[in-house]
Amino acid sequence: MARIQPLAQDELSAEQLNACREVQSGPRGKVPTPMTAWLRNAELARRGQKLGELLRFDTGLDAALTEIAILTCARHWTSHHEWTAHKKLALQAGVPSGVIADIAAGRQPNFGDEKQEMIHKLSATILKKGKLAQPLYDEGMAMFGERCLVELTAILGYYCLVSLTLNVFELGLPENVASELNDTVSDQEAP
């Protein structure tokens, strides 16, 4: 059961309504679950969803790479709702189901794609250590370039905010949906 409930339409201020309308008219087409909490500060909701929109739909990383980063973040924080939502999107983007299962289990996936493998390695390391050692940084720069490495870091930061919001306020999975994430894997080793 969620710790914070969605605000009813008649409880929303003009600013909160505008934030909802803005996201509904964008590429998501609906109010994302973290906004249930963020709407307590209409400007946080508006800016948060705009940042998420940019990072999901308008970076130099293709959809599969973005979804691998998001799944790695969801696994890191054991964010059940984030995992469930982005697993579907990852499959649609062409991420192999075996790779997704390995990330869920905290195992090192066999990607068969060097860019996907590097995105996972960079993401897992950034999440675990909060930084990159020079050799890995250099590998990431050589493969993706400056802009994409900055965007990857921003994606991870944003989805940490999303995951923590979902976890703290226990937002997300409907009661009839079982979680695929084992709560004990959250401290997985960076590859």
Side-chain angles (χ1 to χ4, degrees):
M1 175 103 182
R3 291 178 168 166
I4 195 167
Q5 298 303 311
L7 296 170
Q9 190 79 6
D10 63 348
E11 295 177 302
L12 296 173
S13 69
E15 293 83 8
Q16 291 166 321
L17 275 170
N18 286 338
C20 290
R21 287 183 185 129
E22 189 175 333
V23 70
Q24 289 168 326
S25 68
R28 287 188 187 99
K30 64 178 186 169
V31 174
T33 304
M35 277 186 67
T36 300
W38 298 348
L39 276 168
R40 276 31 184 210
N41 177 323
E43 193 59 20
L44 170 63
R46 191 184 73 71
R47 291 183 190 197
Q49 77 82 16
K50 286 301 281 182
L51 179 59
E53 181 181 302
L54 169 73
L55 296 172
R56 272 271 317 284
F57 303 108
D58 195 20
T59 70
L61 298 171
D62 68 35
L65 297 176
T66 299
E67 293 303 330
I68 288 168
I70 295 168
L71 288 178
T72 304
C73 189
R75 171 65 277 177
H76 176 80
W77 292 110
T78 311
S79 182
H80 302 290
H81 177 76
E82 198 62 29
W83 178 268
T84 301
H86 284 276
K87 175 186 175 186
K88 291 176 193 171
L89 295 168
L91 288 166
Q92 290 170 2
V95 178
S97 59
V99 166
I100 294 169
D102 285 343
I103 294 172
R107 297 185 298 261
Q108 176 58 42
N110 180 12
F111 286 96
D113 179 288
E114 67 178 349
K115 286 187 175 185
Q116 290 182 4
E117 183 174 358
M118 180 58 74
I119 282 292
H120 180 260
K121 184 176 185 179
L122 291 165
S123 297
T125 302
I126 290 167
L127 290 163
K128 174 111 175 125
K129 299 183 181 217
K131 59 185 176 181
L132 294 173
Q134 194 65 48
L136 184 54
Y137 175 86
D138 292 342
E139 284 183 67
M141 285 293 286
M143 185 168 289
F144 296 110
E146 198 170 66
R147 175 183 169 173
C148 287
L149 195 53
V150 168
E151 291 169 340
L152 172 63
T153 303
I155 289 166
L156 294 170
Y158 174 77
Y159 281 95
C160 283
L161 170 63
V162 168
S163 293
L164 293 172
T165 300
L166 295 168
N167 287 354
V168 167
F169 298 104
E170 295 182 357
L171 298 169
L173 285 179
E175 299 208 13
N176 61 343
V177 176
S179 172
E180 296 179 40
L181 300 179
N182 179 331
D183 287 338
T184 62
V185 180
S186 62
D187 195 26
Q188 65 180 330
E189 288 295 317

